[in-house]
Amino acid sequence: MTSEPQLAGQTVVVIGGSSGIGMETARLAAQEGAGVIIAGRHADRLKQAAAEVGARDTAAFDATDQAALSGFFGGLPGPVDHVLVTGPGPYYAPLAELEHDRGQLDWDHHIWLPVAVAQQAVGRVRPGGTLLFMAGTRGGGRAAGLSLIAANSAALPALVANLAVEIAPIRVNLIAAGFVDSPLSATLLGADVDKRRAQLRATLPIRRVVEPADVAALAVHLMSNTAVTGATYDIDGGQQLLPGE
């Protein structure tokens, strides 16, 4: 027996869809019958990703630019069903090295961007459709360099829960990911990424690292499950259960 595609006839927008979690979510959404629009900063990367995952359209812009974000949503041909927003990754720096301008940009990426997308979604995302945002896991470490990302990760569940009330019946949910074996993780960890993979394979309860496809599967589930809103879902393979994590 074959099941009905979960997103048949729906439209999914992925902001940050040219690689990693965003690209895998676009791929799975297309496989589940959705028409997919992927957006990001780099037109060439978007074009290549669209061809690979079967997206129907692309849009190149900086989502933290308020005018560009408004122009994108205003230019959509009609109501869409779901919007996933991924991020550029956290800003790590010890207290003595934290820079105000970079910290402000990090805030724009992780706190203000969900607010701005929610503002634009009203009237453009159908009732019962979904806004999905990304964050780090809520447990968080306590170490030098983690102050901003810990604060952002703690704040986002409260923000998402309130947005879910404020723009209902559009649903709003948050995916809080631990280490995901993506190009972003490789960029952040550099030469240490193989060591981190090996460590997690040996210690995580699932005995493997979390892949972008794992997060994509959760994202599509949250798009299709119309009973869920205002929720935060951790996906880390049990990373938060480990001592010192």
Side-chain angles (χ1 to χ4, degrees):
M1 296 180 63
T2 58
S3 59
E4 180 75 13
Q6 296 182 74
L7 302 175
Q10 299 184 31
T11 300
V12 173
V13 173
V14 181
I15 298 176
S18 64
S19 66
I21 292 168
M23 184 173 174
E24 287 305 315
T25 302
R27 187 195 312 276
L28 183 57
Q31 291 172 356
E32 290 294 336
V36 177
I37 302 168
I38 59 174
R41 288 187 176 91
H42 305 292
D44 53 343
R45 289 170 55 184
L46 287 168
K47 183 178 179 180
Q48 181 178 348
E52 184 173 334
V53 305
R56 81 179 191 202
D57 204 356
T58 65
F61 67 97
D62 180 354
T64 63
D65 181 323
Q66 297 296 296
L69 185 69
S70 177
F72 168 71
F73 275 95
L76 291 171
V80 301
D81 297 277
H82 311 287
V83 179
L84 169 69
V85 183
T86 68
Y91 169 39
Y92 295 115
L95 181 62
E97 298 175 13
L98 282 175
E99 299 175 6
H100 177 270
D101 289 348
R102 288 192 63 187
Q104 186 67 48
L105 182 61
D106 191 69
W107 188 89
D108 284 346
H109 285 149
H110 294 100
I111 301 296
W112 184 253
L113 181 56
V115 173
V117 169
Q119 290 173 328
Q120 295 297 327
V122 176
R124 297 185 176 105
V125 174
R126 69 165 174 82
T130 318
L131 300 186
L132 269 176
F133 300 106
M134 295 290 307
T137 49
R138 290 170 288 179
R142 301 293 182 265
L146 300 183
S147 296
L148 283 184
I149 190 58
N152 286 339
S153 296
L156 272 167
L159 174 61
V160 161
N162 280 273
L163 291 176
V165 173
E166 197 157 359
I167 68 169
I170 298 171
R171 298 181 294 116
V172 188
N173 291 299
L174 180 67
I175 296 175
F179 175 90
V180 179
D181 198 1
S182 67
L184 176 60
S185 294
T187 299
L188 291 172
L189 293 176
D192 292 329
V193 67
D194 286 335
K195 180 180 178 181
R196 185 59 169 157
R197 289 185 185 118
Q199 178 191 38
L200 291 173
R201 289 188 185 109
T203 58
L204 285 179
I206 64 172
R207 293 298 188 268
R208 67 176 181 86
V209 296
V210 177
E211 303 284 348
D214 297 313
V215 185
L218 175 59
V220 169
H221 169 72
L222 292 174
M223 292 174 189
S224 63
N225 189 333
T226 59
V228 180
T229 193
T232 297
Y233 285 82
D234 292 313
I235 179 166
D236 65 357
Q239 186 176 335
Q240 294 180 82
L241 306 177
L242 304 177
E245 293 288 344

